[in-house]
Amino acid sequence: RVAPALPNYGARVGFVVLAGVAMAFFAEMAEAIWWREPLSRQLVAAGYDVGAWLVAGLVLAKFALPSATRSAA
């Protein structure tokens, strides 16, 4: 389980955003290579994806609490 290793809100948000950055890099930069899309378009799309993951991380981090915190809340 990941939640015990991420004890506070900022760490949980950062984890989700890091996953979003990795996803955006691999998903969007692949299109620049394979479909020869302009890099500027891919960077905008990657920024949008990271922003979406940031919003999701803000929401998920509020509810995904470590077990000790969940029982105390």
Side-chain angles (χ1 to χ4, degrees), residues 50-67:
V50 171
W53 279 72
L54 172 64
V55 172
L58 293 170
V59 173
L60 290 172
K62 179 70 177 166
F63 299 106
L65 302 174
S67 298

Side-chain angles (χ1 to χ4, degrees), residues 6-38:
L6 303 170
N8 60 19
Y9 182 77
R12 292 189 300 271
V13 171
F15 178 78
V16 174
V17 171
L18 182 62
V21 168
M23 181 281 310
F25 177 78
F26 288 113
E28 299 299 339
M29 295 306 127
E31 289 187 18
I33 295 168
W34 291 104
W35 302 110
R36 298 191 179 149
E37 294 280 339

